[in-house]
Amino acid sequence: MEGKPGLQTVYQAVQALYHDPDPSGKERASLWLGELQRSVYAWEISDQLLQIRQDVESCYFAAQTMKMKIQTSFYELPADSHASLRDSLLSHIQNLKDLSPIIVTQLALAIADLALQMASWKGCVQTLVESYRNDVSSLPFLLEILTVLPEEVHSRSLRIGANRRAEIIEDLAYYSSTVVSLLMTCVEKAGSNEKMLIKTFRCLGSWFNLGVLDSNFMANNRLLLLLFQVLQQDQTPSNLHEAASDCVCSALYAIENIDNNLHLGTQLFQGVLTLETAYHMAVAREDIDKVLNYCRIFTELCETFLEKIVSTPCRDLGDLRTLELLLICAGHPQYEVAEISFNFWYRLGEHLYKTNDLALHGIFKPYIQRLLHALARHCQLDPDHEGVPEETDDFGEFRMRVSDLVKDLIFLVGSMECFSQLYSTLKQGNPPWEVTEAVLFIMASIAKSVDPENNPTLVEVLEGIVRLPESVHVAVRYTSIELVGEMSEVVDRNPQFLEPVLSYLMKGLCQPSLASPSAKAIQNICSVCRDHMAQHFNGLLNIARSLDSFTLPPEAAVGLLKGTALVLARLPLEKISECMSELCTVQVSSLKKLLSQDSSNGISSDPTLFLDRLAVIFRHTNPIVENGQTHPCQKVIQEIWPVMSETLNKHRADNRIVERCCRCLRFAVRCVGKGSAALLQPLVTQMVSVYQIHQHSCFLYLGSILVDEYGMEEGCQQGLLDMLQALCVPTFQLLEQQNGPQNHPDTVDDLFRLFTRFIQRCPIVLLRSQVLGHVLQWAIAATALDHRDANCSVMKFLRDLIHTGVANDHEENFEVRKTLIQEVLNQFGQQLVSQLLHACCFCLPPYTLPDVAEVVWEIMIFDRPTFCRWLETALKCLPKETSGGAVTVTHKQLTDFHKQVTSAEECKPVCWALRDFTRLFR
């Protein structure tokens, strides 16, 4: 932004943002205001807007800007202005406290973020409480500041570092009793003022969450008693009920380590158990919000006492009345209530699975049986439901979560026992269709975990399903087809059923509403019964020929072709070529048809459907080919190439279609390996030609596949290097644009995959090439790129690059490689180490650190003494203080880190040292 804008201009922009009827006007205002917020003028302008208080919109914009500037640009202010900024913000919040609660919240956040960064503001809690506790009108904003202050301690927006964070937490723990006594005063003054009570509970919950309240002090505190009184009362308003529930959940979360918080834990445990009656009252009144609140509290109770429940069931704090509460909730008619507790049941199952104690499992078995019974009931569709079960709506997603949970817990009940019980409920009597469908759904969830060997029940179930009359509800048929797909192991053990099962699924395939699950079931059977299915290959081929006559979504059609390809690979070699040709001809004919179409006639000429189908055929046709034998798919792929090439050329500007073409070609090359040699020259020529104009990153990925397949063939290496150099020129130009790597992370990802393949297959070719210097400069720059896949590719390249000079694989070129890597590190080593350290501390999220550690480890084992010097130099360049005057890193912490890394004997300690050290800068 050039020059400071006038206040009137800012007002006009804010008005346009909120009130301009033209969306483009709103967007222009938004962009301009965003630029203002990033500029250094934002501090003064926000302060002036808050002083003038012209209207709510301008004050909100100013308050939000102030918060944002303190979070992200605090370094712009000189240290001697911090105190006046604090005084100004406190004055603004006092003057604007009645204008709008959201403005108060933004200013409270600004004050909290300032306090956390401003090391010279000692005892801020004490100062604030003393300044405002006696003025009733100031209590709401004081509570707001005290609520957001603990929440902001771990905010990702603030990089205050572990040292400052520890100092703040210690400070807040010291003043926590001051805050609790203030909250008790607020409760006394509030009487029946609902808003004040809500603010009090929210503030208390925030301090519980930070874990700084003294648990013995809180166990005997009146606030705890009040929380449960509010939750026990039938007449409590909804918002207050929610705030009290949140606070109890925070308290339970804060005492995860029960033995250290026994007194408070016991009080909370007993308090929550008293809420059962209140829960039943909320159910009777059909107050679903309160029901959900109680269920959240019961679930948090079980989560907190999980260790006790497993280690000492039925005793003291392991009392299983806690599970009874969850089962009562599971019995509620609305499935959303039961769903709240799913995470606890997962964790319980995980704990019991690890203990592997049958006697202990026996204690929990009846509880899990009751849970499964309740879940089966929740999975029932409405009796008046028409059509098949919907899988993508909320209820469909709930059923999928039930299915996952049942799979995780079934070991406690026994798969076979549960399967048999479910089946017996279908045999006895004549349950309504919705009960039958729900039971079949649960059976489908556990079918794969039932042992298929000599199992008469499974055989009987299979027999019963394939004989289901067509008159049953379509949802029952839908789910029974899914169950058949899950029972493919049983079909494999009992091949006499293959014919009737396929016949049953073919009927489903021909019915639009059942086509999708039928296709999936056929795919499963093809995957599991590949050998038995070989005799039915012609039937599969017929399905493939008339694929578009079925009402199938694209992924189901592709799944069918996957199953067909898996079976195709089991045919005799001499038949594979002919059958694959037939299988591909259908798709190739469609592609040819599209190519001959004039795109201006309005008819879609999108070839992705057919490209995806070809890709899946190539991907899954993996016959066993002995050395010396010609790959049966080689001829087919050579025949298809001209159509692929023409398709690629026609759609060369469309990234989505080019990506699908490359994917298809990738699987074709992988399918026949070295047998695709005839394609290499024309394919590379076309890739390079199109890439000069359209930088689709998928060409780089396809290039990496070619290097992987042919990089070790000496006759191909120069051609592949020429390809690399030709692809690098436009790629580097793209990345040199402003924010190039951030705007094109896929290109970075695929580019470094390509370089890595060179290092893996023909390292000396790349190490001696002219392009290497540019490659390394981009690699060093891209280490700071915060993108999971791209960063992973860059780190893998650097690791593998240096490793080629470390790994003595007894090849005659090892010494050459070692010398070349030495030259690389002599030139780029210090820069690389400094950049890696800077990236870890200031740019990269913690999950990337194991990858960085591997690069550091490889550099170190290549040349430890030199690495020690490089690391020392890099550490000296790091800032030692924050802009707020707090110590970021001490001299001892720097020397300890240096010693931990340089004395490591394996990679893991390097990673741990990096994790701990980078926390000092987060």
Side-chain angles (χ1 to χ4, degrees), residues 40-220:
V40 74
Y41 307 115
W43 295 103
E44 190 184 342
I45 285 172
S46 302
D47 191 52
Q48 288 173 338
L49 291 175
L50 290 166
Q51 271 176 345
I52 296 167
R53 309 202 289 277
Q54 182 160 326
D55 51 38
V56 173
E57 286 100 342
S58 62
C59 287
Y60 176 70
F61 169 74
Q64 187 197 37
T65 303
M66 206 52 114
K67 176 203 75 176
M68 201 179 91
K69 294 298 285 183
I70 290 170
Q71 282 180 349
T72 59
S73 310
F74 191 54
Y75 60 87
E76 291 177 352
L77 294 179
D80 58 7
S81 66
H82 295 169
S84 59
L85 173 63
R86 173 196 62 197
D87 298 344
S88 175
L89 287 170
L90 289 170
S91 162
H92 292 321
I93 201 167
Q94 173 89 7
N95 294 331
L96 294 162
K97 60 179 184 263
D98 300 322
L99 186 60
S100 159
I102 55 170
I103 293 173
V104 170
T105 300
Q106 293 298 311
L107 288 171
L109 282 164
I111 292 162
D113 291 339
L114 176 65
L116 297 177
Q117 293 181 88
M118 186 176 158
S120 58
W121 187 1
K122 305 288 184 193
C124 66
V125 171
Q126 184 77 10
T127 316
L128 290 166
V129 171
E130 281 175 0
S131 303
Y132 302 111
R133 72 181 306 161
N134 297 322
D135 175 13
V136 175
S137 69
S138 298
L139 283 178
F141 78 72
L142 173 61
L143 289 182
E144 191 67 31
I145 298 171
L146 293 176
T147 301
V148 297
L149 183 64
E151 290 170 355
E152 289 294 286
V153 170
H154 293 291
S155 164
R156 292 199 175 167
S157 308
L158 296 177
R159 298 186 76 95
I160 55 176
N163 287 333
R164 174 66 180 153
R165 202 167 274 115
E167 184 189 332
I168 290 161
I169 290 171
E170 194 180 316
D171 200 45
L172 295 184
Y174 181 78
Y175 290 112
S176 61
S177 55
T178 306
V179 173
V180 173
S181 63
L182 170 74
L183 294 179
M184 287 164 66
T185 307
C186 290
V187 165
E188 285 160 13
K189 287 183 178 173
S192 59
N193 181 336
E194 182 192 338
K195 281 185 178 170
M196 184 60 91
L197 283 175
I198 288 172
K199 281 189 169 296
T200 304
F201 290 158
R202 270 192 59 222
C203 186
L204 180 61
S206 177
W207 285 72
F208 266 129
N209 280 333
L210 190 61
V212 291
L213 296 178
D214 182 298
S215 66
N216 288 328
F217 177 62
M218 289 311 300
N220 301 314

Side-chain angles (χ1 to χ4, degrees), residues 527-547:
S527 303
V528 175
C529 317
R530 289 166 76 173
D531 293 323
H532 297 307
M533 281 298 292
Q535 59 185 308
H536 295 279
F537 185 76
N538 283 336
L540 292 172
L541 205 51
N542 287 332
I543 293 173
R545 284 195 194 102
S546 51
L547 209 49

Side-chain angles (χ1 to χ4, degrees), residues 295-323:
C295 188
R296 281 194 300 123
I297 294 171
F298 299 156
T299 303
E300 198 63 62
L301 177 77
C302 290
E303 296 256 17
T304 297
F305 291 96
L306 176 58
E307 300 283 350
K308 296 286 182 190
I309 289 169
V310 174
S311 59
T312 56
C314 312
R315 292 207 321 271
D316 305 327
L317 296 176
D319 189 330
L320 296 185
R321 279 184 295 169
T322 49
L323 298 192

Side-chain angles (χ1 to χ4, degrees), residues 327-399:
L327 289 173
I328 289 169
C329 293
H332 190 277
Q334 294 205 7
Y335 69 84
E336 293 90 345
V337 179
E339 196 171 14
I340 289 172
S341 64
F342 277 16
N343 190 56
F344 166 74
W345 294 112
Y346 276 122
R347 286 185 61 206
L348 176 65
E350 201 176 23
H351 270 66
L352 292 172
Y353 188 76
K354 282 177 185 168
T355 56
N356 197 18
D357 176 340
L358 291 178
L360 188 63
H361 291 185
I363 293 172
F364 290 95
K365 181 176 175 178
Y367 292 93
I368 301 301
Q369 282 173 324
R370 285 165 59 194
L371 174 69
L372 295 183
H373 184 76
L375 293 177
R377 201 173 60 252
H378 279 302
C379 284
Q380 289 174 19
L381 298 162
D382 288 334
D384 56 359
H385 178 90
E386 291 178 6
V388 300
E390 189 62 60
E391 290 185 359
T392 52
D393 63 1
D394 288 346
F395 184 56
E397 285 178 11
F398 166 75
R399 283 180 27 132

Side-chain angles (χ1 to χ4, degrees), residues 253-501:
Y253 182 76
I255 57 156
E256 287 268 350
N257 188 337
I258 303 296
D259 294 329
N260 292 352
N261 301 285
L262 205 54
H263 191 19
L264 179 57
T266 307
Q267 295 293 86
L268 287 167
F269 187 90
Q270 290 167 350
V272 174
L273 288 181
T274 64
L275 299 179
E276 186 183 339
T277 310
Y279 168 83
H280 289 301
M281 185 59 80
V283 173
R285 289 188 182 277
E286 296 184 5
D287 190 336
I288 187 65
D289 290 338
K290 286 187 181 176
V291 167
L292 291 168
N293 287 338
Y294 289 123
C295 188
R296 281 194 300 123
I297 294 171
F298 299 156
T299 303
E300 198 63 62
L301 177 77
C302 290
E303 296 256 17
T304 297
F305 291 96
L306 176 58
E307 300 283 350
K308 296 286 182 190
I309 289 169
V310 174
S311 59
T312 56
C314 312
R315 292 207 321 271
D316 305 327
L317 296 176
D319 189 330
L320 296 185
R321 279 184 295 169
T322 49
L323 298 192
E324 290 289 350
L325 290 174
L326 288 196
L327 289 173
I328 289 169
C329 293
H332 190 277
Q334 294 205 7
Y335 69 84
E336 293 90 345
V337 179
E339 196 171 14
I340 289 172
S341 64
F342 277 16
N343 190 56
F344 166 74
W345 294 112
Y346 276 122
R347 286 185 61 206
L348 176 65
E350 201 176 23
H351 270 66
L352 292 172
Y353 188 76
K354 282 177 185 168
T355 56
N356 197 18
D357 176 340
L358 291 178
L360 188 63
H361 291 185
I363 293 172
F364 290 95
K365 181 176 175 178
Y367 292 93
I368 301 301
Q369 282 173 324
R370 285 165 59 194
L371 174 69
L372 295 183
H373 184 76
L375 293 177
R377 201 173 60 252
H378 279 302
C379 284
Q380 289 174 19
L381 298 162
D382 288 334
D384 56 359
H385 178 90
E386 291 178 6
V388 300
E390 189 62 60
E391 290 185 359
T392 52
D393 63 1
D394 288 346
F395 184 56
E397 285 178 11
F398 166 75
R399 283 180 27 132
M400 293 321 295
R401 288 194 67 196
V402 168
S403 175
D404 291 340
L405 183 59
V406 169
K407 284 172 187 162
D408 279 8
L409 294 177
I410 198 63
F411 74 93
L412 287 164
V413 179
S415 312
M416 191 58 231
E417 184 184 330
C418 183
F419 197 85
S420 301
Q421 280 177 354
L422 289 165
Y423 181 49
S424 66
T425 62
L426 297 183
K427 283 199 298 186
Q428 294 158 6
N430 188 13
W433 75 263
E434 68 276 10
V435 174
T436 302
E437 190 278 334
V439 168
L440 289 170
F441 177 77
I442 301 292
M443 286 169 77
S445 302
I446 59 176
K448 274 189 180 158
S449 61
V450 180
D451 183 5
E453 280 299 337
N454 303 321
N455 198 319
T457 307
L458 290 176
V459 173
E460 195 183 327
V461 168
L462 206 49
E463 265 183 313
I465 288 175
V466 296
R467 287 187 189 148
L468 272 176
E470 289 189 31
S471 57
V472 297
H473 193 289
V474 68
V476 174
R477 283 189 65 198
Y478 184 97
T479 305
S480 70
I481 288 167
E482 288 190 323
L483 175 54
V484 170
E486 294 295 310
M487 293 176 73
S488 41
E489 294 272 1
V490 184
V491 178
D492 193 41
R493 301 289 201 291
N494 301 274
Q496 73 273 20
F497 280 113
L498 192 53
E499 198 79 51
V501 162

